[in-house]
Amino acid sequence: MAKLKKFFHLSDPEYTAKFQRLCGVYLNYQSDQPSEGSLENENNSCTVRKRIGLQDCRKNNIIENQNHQNESHDTVFRTPKSEADRIWKHLSMFQKSLFYILTCASSLGNEAFYLLFYPYVAWNMDSVVVRHTNVVWTLCMYAGQAAKDYLIWPRPTSPPVVRLETDFLQEYAMPSTHAMSATAIPFMLAYSIIHRYDISPVFVISIAICWCLLVCLSRLYLGVHSVLDLLCGVIASLIIILLTVPYMKEYDMFQQSHPIAPLVVFGISLALSTVCYPNAKDGSPYTAKADAVQIVAVSAGVTVGTWINYQFGFTVDKGQVFQAQIVIPTITMMAESLLRFVIGIVILGALYSVMKKSSVHFFSYVFNLEKPNKKHPSVEIGYKFVTYYVLGFAIIFLIPYIHFLLGLGRTAYFNEVQ
């Protein structure tokens, strides 16, 4: 019981603040605090705390976030420029280097990274590795986003924590989905690469550990998670990996070869995005549901693309189970990879823009809104599901097919069945 108590004590924001101070980041709020007599009521206190960039201890430790959703987040969350300048001014060269390294590491858990990383690996390296990693990543991220809205566990309070990132503060904290992603992606990549290629396991696993560690430390450094949030995220992802890896090949063949695989996956994805998404314990508004919908929709789109590749004969199963040698790319190979990537991303961006705009208009019409409103809860869920479903399909089928039409296709792409 005492050990369990110590474990939950890791949610104390002071641990996060200690790590920040170790890196040279601290909040000098004492001099800005008003005198005791000026705090006549809650409104005055809240106003002063907004002015100096601190967080109130309400829901999720975010000032009036639930009641003022239409207000600019900048006025509520942003650390005052003077305070940010003061922090930066007192950082040593080493500490400034840490800032850049950990800020970049944190971006490995952001949407932009996923939309660049997965396509690049699929189009230029190995689509089987992407499919396997995508399955585990989807399960981990959906579980994490749903748990956030169910547990409604607040972010670390500020003070003592310094908020260096404000992009995800509307979400709750437990578990850290950055930590879950930083466990699922590198370790599944490591597992798949070790089993498919002749490469040193120690080298690959070392990179996976460094990836996971850097992302987790970045969330402490930026002041958005407690140690407990991160530990729970890592442990949950490891459990999901252990439960899914034994059945990965069977599932991958199912989504390619079974006649109704796309319908099954589409139905499950739709249910997870709507009726199966858990309600918060106290009826609080969802903060992470839209992200969960994006994740399952992309995965469903990947299944459709994979199924079409196999069923229509684009993918040819040569029955290869191999450990291939890793080839050092030539200048020509690198140029082709870059060209594939640029063309693919341009198409992906165009599709995103068209699908988002058209689906927002469509769902706004369906729900009888006077004008298109992408922030309406039902419209947001609808347009995100449709848009990201199409993106997943395009990444696996449409864009690789266009690459081949242009004479830029990767030769092995349509041979990668298992």
Side-chain angles (χ1 to χ4, degrees):
M1 192 67 182
K3 288 183 179 179
L4 191 62
K5 208 169 181 180
K6 285 182 180 179
F7 180 72
F8 281 103
H9 187 62
L10 293 174
S11 64
D12 188 345
E14 191 57 41
Y15 289 113
T16 302
K18 281 180 180 178
F19 180 76
Q20 288 185 307
R21 288 194 288 269
L22 185 66
C23 298
V25 177
Y26 60 93
L27 189 61
N28 184 24
Y29 62 88
Q30 293 294 339
S31 59
D32 290 329
Q33 291 284 8
S35 62
E36 194 171 319
S38 67
L39 299 181
E40 295 176 358
N41 54 49
E42 181 69 16
N43 290 333
N44 282 345
S45 176
C46 186
T47 301
V48 170
R49 294 172 76 81
K50 280 186 183 182
R51 176 176 61 80
I52 64 172
L54 305 182
Q55 306 291 319
D56 201 5
C57 297
R58 299 187 183 179
K59 284 190 177 180
N60 206 16
N61 297 319
I62 297 173
I63 299 173
E64 303 177 352
N65 187 40
Q66 307 296 343
N67 300 323
H68 296 269
Q69 293 180 6
N70 294 326
E71 292 182 7
S72 167
H73 283 194
D74 288 349
T75 60
V76 178
F77 298 136
R78 182 168 293 171
T79 301
K81 189 174 184 303
S82 59
E83 183 63 22
D85 289 343
R86 184 201 62 76
I87 291 172
W88 183 255
K89 183 179 177 181
H90 287 83
L91 293 180
S92 66
M93 188 63 70
F94 173 73
Q95 290 166 342
K96 287 179 180 178
S97 300
L98 273 181
F99 171 83
Y100 288 119
I101 291 169
L102 294 176
T103 301
C104 289
S106 181
S107 69
L108 298 179
N110 295 347
E111 180 185 345
F113 171 74
Y114 304 142
L115 288 176
L116 295 173
F117 176 76
Y118 278 128
Y120 184 86
V121 176
W123 301 335
N124 295 312
M125 297 172 72
D126 192 330
S127 60
V128 175
V129 170
V130 169
R131 293 199 305 268
H132 289 184
T133 304
N134 173 67
V135 173
V136 174
W137 172 78
T138 299
L139 293 172
C140 290
M141 292 297 287
Y142 181 85
Q145 301 290 14
K148 284 184 177 185
D149 277 342
Y150 180 73
L151 297 173
I152 56 173
W153 196 296
R155 299 269 181 182
T157 52
S158 175
V161 167
V162 184
R163 302 286 193 200
L164 295 181
E165 182 191 84
T166 62
D167 295 340
F168 302 100
L169 286 182
Q170 74 278 9
E171 293 182 4
Y172 289 101
M174 174 63 78
S176 166
T177 45
H178 271 74
M180 295 187 80
S181 170
T183 305
I185 293 177
F187 284 101
M188 270 310 297
L189 285 175
Y191 174 83
S192 298
I193 289 170
I194 288 168
H195 282 78
R196 289 178 63 78
Y197 295 94
D198 184 14
I199 191 171
S200 167
V202 174
F203 174 72
V204 177
I205 292 171
S206 297
I207 291 176
I209 291 171
C210 289
W211 182 333
C212 182
L213 190 61
L214 275 173
V215 174
C216 289
L217 290 178
S218 75
R219 306 312 284 165
L220 289 178
Y221 180 82
L222 296 173
V224 292
H225 278 295
S226 67
V227 175
L228 185 62
D229 298 337
L230 298 169
L231 280 176
C232 288
V234 171
I235 292 169
S237 278
L238 290 174
I239 291 171
I240 291 172
I241 289 171
L242 291 173
L243 292 175
T244 54
V245 160
Y247 310 101
M248 188 58 65
K249 287 186 178 179
E250 287 80 0
Y251 174 78
D252 195 32
M253 282 307 301
F254 165 80
Q255 72 173 346
Q256 293 180 81
S257 60
H258 199 282
I260 63 169
L263 292 177
V264 172
V265 175
F266 180 85
I268 292 172
S269 300
L270 199 59
L272 290 173
S273 301
T274 52
V275 295
C276 294
Y277 196 82
N279 294 316
K281 288 180 180 178
D282 64 350
S284 299
Y286 295 122
T287 64
K289 185 175 183 179
D291 287 342
V293 169
Q294 291 176 191
I295 291 158
V296 296
V298 166
S299 189
V302 166
T303 294
V304 174
T306 304
W307 185 84
I308 290 176
N309 281 341
Y310 190 89
Q311 296 293 326
F312 287 83
F314 294 103
T315 300
V316 179
D317 187 0
K318 294 186 176 181
Q320 289 178 305
V321 179
F322 60 91
Q323 275 204 323
Q325 296 287 333
I326 293 179
V327 179
I328 298 174
T330 63
I331 298 296
T332 303
M333 291 170 65
M334 289 191 288
E336 287 179 349
S337 295
L338 182 60
L339 199 54
R340 274 195 296 266
F341 181 66
V342 171
I343 291 171
I345 290 300
V346 168
I347 296 171
L348 212 57
L351 274 175
Y352 175 82
S353 181
V354 170
M355 292 306 304
K356 179 180 177 181
K357 187 173 182 179
S358 57
S359 56
V360 166
H361 278 76
F362 173 76
F363 285 107
S364 296
Y365 173 78
V366 167
F367 293 108
N368 296 316
L369 303 183
E370 293 181 1
K371 59 181 181 178
N373 180 10
K374 67 178 183 179
K375 291 298 183 182
H376 185 279
S378 298
V379 173
E380 185 179 29
I381 298 306
Y383 97 75
K384 289 206 169 190
F385 188 91
V386 170
T387 301
Y388 285 86
Y389 185 84
V390 171
L391 293 185
F393 168 76
I395 289 168
I396 294 299
F397 170 72
L398 181 61
I399 294 174
Y401 184 66
I402 292 172
H403 286 156
F404 273 91
L405 291 178
L406 296 174
L408 290 170
R410 182 167 60 85
T411 307
Y413 183 83
F414 286 117
N415 295 328
E416 293 167 347
V417 176
Q418 56 182 338

Coordinates of all heavy atoms in Angstrom, one line a residue, residues 297-334:
A297 N -9.9 7.0 -37.9 CA -10.3 7.2 -39.3 C -9.1 7.0 -40.3 O -9.2 6.3 -41.3 CB -10.8 8.6 -39.5
V298 N -7.9 7.5 -39.9 CA -6.7 7.2 -40.7 C -6.5 5.7 -40.8 O -6.2 5.2 -41.9 CB -5.5 7.9 -40.1 CG1 -4.2 7.4 -40.7 CG2 -5.5 9.4 -40.3
S299 N -6.6 5.0 -39.7 CA -6.3 3.6 -39.7 C -7.3 2.8 -40.6 O -7.0 1.9 -41.3 CB -6.4 3.1 -38.3 OG -6.0 1.7 -38.2
A300 N -8.6 3.3 -40.5 CA -9.6 2.7 -41.4 C -9.3 2.9 -42.9 O -9.5 2.0 -43.7 CB -11.0 3.2 -41.0
G301 N -8.9 4.1 -43.2 CA -8.5 4.4 -44.5 C -7.3 3.6 -45.0 O -7.2 3.2 -46.2
V302 N -6.3 3.4 -44.1 CA -5.2 2.5 -44.5 C -5.6 1.1 -44.8 O -5.2 0.5 -45.8 CB -4.2 2.5 -43.3 CG1 -3.2 1.4 -43.5 CG2 -3.5 3.9 -43.2
T303 N -6.6 0.6 -44.0 CA -7.2 -0.7 -44.3 C -7.8 -0.8 -45.7 O -7.6 -1.8 -46.4 CB -8.2 -1.1 -43.2 OG1 -7.5 -1.2 -42.0 CG2 -8.9 -2.4 -43.6
V304 N -8.6 0.2 -46.1 CA -9.2 0.2 -47.4 C -8.2 0.2 -48.5 O -8.2 -0.5 -49.5 CB -10.2 1.4 -47.5 CG1 -10.7 1.5 -49.0 CG2 -11.3 1.3 -46.6
G305 N -7.2 1.1 -48.3 CA -6.1 1.2 -49.3 C -5.3 -0.1 -49.5 O -5.0 -0.6 -50.6
T306 N -5.0 -0.8 -48.3 CA -4.3 -2.0 -48.3 C -5.2 -3.1 -49.0 O -4.6 -3.9 -49.8 CB -4.0 -2.4 -46.9 OG1 -3.2 -1.4 -46.2 CG2 -3.2 -3.7 -46.8
W307 N -6.4 -3.1 -48.7 CA -7.4 -4.1 -49.2 C -7.5 -4.0 -50.8 O -7.4 -5.0 -51.5 CB -8.7 -3.9 -48.6 CG -9.8 -5.0 -49.0 CD1 -9.9 -6.2 -48.4 CD2 -10.8 -4.8 -50.0 NE1 -11.0 -6.9 -49.0 CE2 -11.5 -6.0 -50.0 CE3 -11.1 -3.8 -50.9 CZ2 -12.6 -6.3 -50.8 CZ3 -12.2 -4.1 -51.7 CH2 -12.9 -5.2 -51.7
I308 N -7.6 -2.8 -51.3 CA -7.7 -2.5 -52.7 C -6.4 -3.0 -53.4 O -6.4 -3.6 -54.5 CB -8.0 -1.0 -53.0 CG1 -9.5 -0.7 -52.6 CG2 -7.8 -0.7 -54.5 CD1 -9.8 0.7 -52.7
N309 N -5.3 -2.6 -52.8 CA -4.0 -3.1 -53.4 C -4.0 -4.6 -53.6 O -3.5 -5.1 -54.6 CB -2.8 -2.7 -52.4 CG -2.5 -1.2 -52.6 OD1 -2.8 -0.6 -53.5 ND2 -1.8 -0.7 -51.5
Y310 N -4.4 -5.3 -52.6 CA -4.4 -6.8 -52.7 C -5.5 -7.4 -53.5 O -5.2 -8.2 -54.4 CB -4.5 -7.3 -51.2 CG -4.2 -8.8 -51.1 CD1 -2.9 -9.3 -50.9 CD2 -5.3 -9.8 -51.2 CE1 -2.7 -10.6 -50.8 CE2 -5.0 -11.1 -51.1 CZ -3.7 -11.6 -50.9 OH -3.5 -12.9 -50.8
Q311 N -6.7 -6.9 -53.4 CA -7.9 -7.5 -54.1 C -7.8 -7.2 -55.6 O -8.3 -8.0 -56.3 CB -9.2 -7.0 -53.5 CG -9.4 -7.4 -52.0 CD -9.6 -8.9 -51.9 OE1 -10.2 -9.5 -52.7 NE2 -9.1 -9.4 -50.7
F312 N -7.3 -6.1 -56.0 CA -7.3 -5.7 -57.4 C -6.0 -6.1 -58.1 O -5.7 -5.6 -59.2 CB -7.6 -4.2 -57.6 CG -9.1 -3.9 -57.3 CD1 -9.5 -3.7 -56.0 CD2 -10.0 -3.9 -58.3 CE1 -10.9 -3.5 -55.8 CE2 -11.3 -3.6 -58.1 CZ -11.8 -3.4 -56.8
G313 N -5.2 -6.8 -57.4 CA -4.0 -7.3 -58.0 C -2.8 -6.4 -58.1 O -1.8 -6.7 -58.8
F314 N -2.9 -5.2 -57.5 CA -1.7 -4.3 -57.5 C -0.6 -4.9 -56.6 O 0.6 -4.9 -57.0 CB -2.1 -3.0 -56.9 CG -3.1 -2.2 -57.8 CD1 -4.4 -2.1 -57.4 CD2 -2.7 -1.6 -59.0 CE1 -5.3 -1.5 -58.2 CE2 -3.6 -0.9 -59.8 CZ -4.9 -0.9 -59.4
T315 N -1.0 -5.5 -55.5 CA 0.0 -6.2 -54.6 C 0.1 -7.6 -55.0 O -0.9 -8.3 -55.1 CB -0.4 -6.1 -53.2 OG1 -0.5 -4.7 -52.8 CG2 0.6 -6.7 -52.3
V316 N 1.3 -8.1 -55.2 CA 1.6 -9.5 -55.6 C 2.3 -10.2 -54.4 O 3.4 -9.7 -54.0 CB 2.4 -9.6 -56.9 CG1 2.7 -11.0 -57.2 CG2 1.8 -8.9 -58.0
D317 N 1.7 -11.2 -53.9 CA 2.3 -12.0 -52.8 C 3.3 -13.0 -53.4 O 2.9 -14.0 -54.0 CB 1.2 -12.7 -52.0 CG 1.8 -13.3 -50.8 OD1 3.0 -13.2 -50.5 OD2 1.0 -14.0 -50.0
K318 N 4.6 -12.7 -53.2 CA 5.6 -13.6 -53.6 C 6.1 -14.6 -52.5 O 7.0 -15.4 -52.7 CB 6.9 -12.8 -54.1 CG 6.6 -12.0 -55.3 CD 7.9 -11.3 -55.8 CE 7.6 -10.6 -57.1 NZ 8.8 -9.9 -57.6
G319 N 5.3 -14.6 -51.4 CA 5.6 -15.5 -50.3 C 6.9 -15.3 -49.7 O 7.5 -16.2 -49.2
Q320 N 7.4 -14.1 -49.7 CA 8.7 -13.8 -49.1 C 8.7 -13.6 -47.6 O 7.9 -12.8 -47.1 CB 9.3 -12.5 -49.7 CG 9.7 -12.7 -51.2 CD 10.2 -11.4 -51.7 OE1 9.5 -10.4 -51.7 NE2 11.4 -11.4 -52.3
V321 N 9.5 -14.4 -46.9 CA 9.7 -14.1 -45.5 C 11.2 -14.0 -45.4 O 11.9 -15.0 -45.5 CB 9.2 -15.3 -44.6 CG1 9.5 -15.0 -43.2 CG2 7.7 -15.5 -44.8
F322 N 11.7 -12.8 -45.2 CA 13.2 -12.6 -45.4 C 13.7 -11.7 -44.4 O 13.0 -11.0 -43.7 CB 13.4 -12.1 -46.8 CG 12.7 -10.8 -47.0 CD1 13.4 -9.6 -46.8 CD2 11.4 -10.7 -47.5 CE1 12.7 -8.4 -47.0 CE2 10.8 -9.5 -47.7 CZ 11.4 -8.3 -47.5
Q323 N 15.1 -11.7 -44.3 CA 15.8 -10.7 -43.6 C 16.7 -10.0 -44.6 O 17.8 -10.5 -44.9 CB 16.6 -11.3 -42.5 CG 15.8 -11.5 -41.2 CD 16.7 -11.6 -40.0 OE1 17.8 -12.1 -40.0 NE2 16.2 -11.0 -38.9
A324 N 16.2 -9.0 -45.2 CA 16.9 -8.3 -46.3 C 18.1 -7.5 -45.8 O 18.1 -7.0 -44.6 CB 16.0 -7.4 -47.1
Q325 N 19.1 -7.3 -46.7 CA 20.2 -6.5 -46.4 C 19.8 -5.0 -46.5 O 19.0 -4.7 -47.4 CB 21.4 -6.8 -47.3 CG 22.0 -8.1 -47.2 CD 22.8 -8.3 -45.9 OE1 23.3 -7.3 -45.4 NE2 22.9 -9.5 -45.4
I326 N 20.2 -4.1 -45.6 CA 20.0 -2.7 -45.8 C 21.0 -2.1 -46.8 O 22.2 -2.2 -46.6 CB 20.0 -2.0 -44.4 CG1 18.9 -2.5 -43.5 CG2 19.9 -0.5 -44.6 CD1 18.9 -1.9 -42.1
V327 N 20.4 -1.5 -47.8 CA 21.3 -1.0 -48.9 C 21.5 0.5 -48.6 O 20.6 1.3 -48.3 CB 20.6 -1.2 -50.2 CG1 21.4 -0.6 -51.4 CG2 20.3 -2.6 -50.5
I328 N 22.8 0.9 -48.8 CA 23.1 2.4 -48.7 C 22.6 3.0 -49.9 O 22.9 2.7 -51.0 CB 24.6 2.6 -48.5 CG1 25.1 1.9 -47.2 CG2 24.9 4.1 -48.5 CD1 26.6 1.9 -47.1
P329 N 21.7 4.0 -49.8 CA 21.1 4.7 -51.0 C 22.1 5.5 -51.8 O 23.0 6.1 -51.3 CB 20.0 5.6 -50.4 CG 20.5 5.9 -49.0 CD 21.2 4.6 -48.5
T330 N 21.9 5.4 -53.1 CA 22.7 6.2 -54.0 C 22.1 7.6 -54.2 O 21.0 7.9 -53.7 CB 22.8 5.5 -55.4 OG1 21.5 5.5 -55.9 CG2 23.3 4.1 -55.3
I331 N 22.8 8.5 -54.8 CA 22.3 9.8 -55.1 C 21.0 9.8 -55.8 O 20.0 10.5 -55.5 CB 23.3 10.7 -55.9 CG1 24.6 10.9 -55.1 CG2 22.7 12.1 -56.2 CD1 24.4 11.6 -53.8
T332 N 20.9 8.9 -56.8 CA 19.7 8.7 -57.6 C 18.5 8.3 -56.8 O 17.4 8.8 -56.9 CB 19.9 7.7 -58.8 OG1 21.0 8.2 -59.6 CG2 18.7 7.6 -59.6
M333 N 18.8 7.3 -55.9 CA 17.7 6.8 -55.0 C 17.2 7.8 -54.1 O 16.0 8.0 -53.9 CB 18.3 5.6 -54.2 CG 18.5 4.3 -55.1 SD 19.5 3.0 -54.2 CE 18.3 2.6 -52.9
M334 N 18.2 8.6 -53.6 CA 17.8 9.7 -52.6 C 16.9 10.8 -53.4 O 16.0 11.3 -52.8 CB 19.0 10.3 -52.0 CG 19.6 9.4 -50.9 SD 20.9 10.2 -49.9 CE 22.2 10.4 -51.1

